[in-house]
Amino acid sequence: MNHPHSRLRAGNPEAFRDLFRDHSSLVYRHAVRVTGNWALAEDVVSLTFLEAWRLRGKLRDEGDSPRPWLMGIAVNVLRNTTRAARRHSAAMSRVPAADPVPDFADELVGRMADSEELAAARKALARLRRPEREVFALCVWSGLGYAEAAATLGVPVGTVRSRLSRARTRLRKLADEELRRAKRTTEPLPPPGQTQGSRDTAARPHKETHR
């Protein structure tokens, strides 16, 4: 009995339509989270599936799902794409946007509560080393299991676990720093003469405990 991947290796058009139907949204959501740019994410999807067609002969029979193979291609496309877009993205991140995340943000960013937190998380994520950043994006934002992420990146499962642990530890600290920095630059100063009483806390930002 032929393995289901054999139809993909043979270049069967129906098999590739099924691959796109079943997994293009995963690639897209992952690319949106990594790049923060929907138009760029669409390009990543197109390039990923073009590369999947070109590299179809390298798909092996291990496992029932082509997700690790496909996401491995997506990760490589993202590495190349984000290098080219890095300076543009850095410039755009300094420009305040009126509505950077629309109503379906919850679907796209998981537990991120609002656009401010998403922006802080993306800036914090950009400060991690690439291996930790990729593992975090695959496991936390895109929901791949340890084994799938390991197969995607071509590393042992233990490496995925240790990288994710380091990423979580660093991100807690970095995201807090980014949120505090964002609040300092966006919160209005209290009106003159209103620094007494309850306003005293405004003069002691280091005492804040929320977030």
Side-chain angles (χ1 to χ4, degrees):
M1 182 177 176
N2 287 338
H3 195 279
H5 294 174
S6 62
R7 295 173 66 234
L8 290 169
R9 278 198 303 273
N12 181 286
E14 187 64 33
F16 266 86
R17 279 194 288 271
D18 291 346
L19 182 74
F20 186 86
R21 181 198 64 209
D22 294 341
H23 302 296
S24 59
S25 61
L26 171 67
V27 175
Y28 177 72
R29 288 194 303 269
H30 183 74
V32 166
R33 289 159 176 157
V34 170
T35 66
N37 183 312
W38 297 343
L40 187 56
E42 290 175 357
D43 290 343
V44 168
V45 172
S46 298
L47 289 168
T48 296
F49 281 89
L50 283 171
E51 277 293 278
W53 175 264
R54 188 176 71 84
L55 299 172
R56 62 189 183 276
K58 296 186 177 181
L59 176 59
R60 295 181 296 180
D61 286 344
E62 287 86 348
D64 295 327
S65 172
R67 285 205 326 176
W69 172 73
L70 186 65
M71 290 302 288
I73 294 172
V75 166
N76 282 328
V77 168
L78 278 163
R79 286 173 184 170
N80 295 329
T81 304
T82 50
R83 278 192 206 105
R86 189 170 293 136
R87 278 188 295 181
H88 173 73
S89 297
M92 291 302 293
S93 71
R94 294 191 291 269
V95 178
D99 186 18
V101 181
D103 291 340
F104 55 89
D106 285 348
E107 177 194 347
L108 290 177
V109 299
R111 291 186 294 273
M112 297 302 168
D114 54 35
S115 58
E116 183 183 69
E117 289 189 6
L118 172 59
R122 285 196 63 252
K123 287 178 182 178
L125 202 61
R127 294 169 63 185
L128 294 182
R129 293 174 59 243
R130 189 179 75 184
E132 282 80 19
R133 185 167 65 243
E134 288 177 348
V135 164
F136 181 88
L138 287 169
C139 293
V140 177
W141 272 354
S142 294
L144 269 66
Y146 293 145
E148 278 190 308
T152 294
L153 297 170
V155 299
V157 172
T159 300
V160 169
R161 291 179 183 274
S162 61
R163 287 179 183 176
L164 184 58
S165 176
R166 288 197 299 270
R168 287 182 187 279
T169 300
R170 292 262 299 142
L171 276 173
R172 286 190 194 101
K173 177 183 176 184
L174 294 174
D176 268 353
E177 289 176 5
E178 293 293 348
L179 277 171
R180 285 197 296 271
R181 184 176 294 117
K183 286 181 182 300
R184 284 198 298 270
T185 58
T186 57
E187 285 183 349
L189 293 173
Q194 293 190 22
T195 57
Q196 301 301 315
S198 63
R199 289 285 183 175
D200 284 346
T201 54
R204 299 194 300 273
H206 62 284
K207 296 290 187 182
E208 290 179 358
T209 57
H210 63 283
R211 292 220 242 202

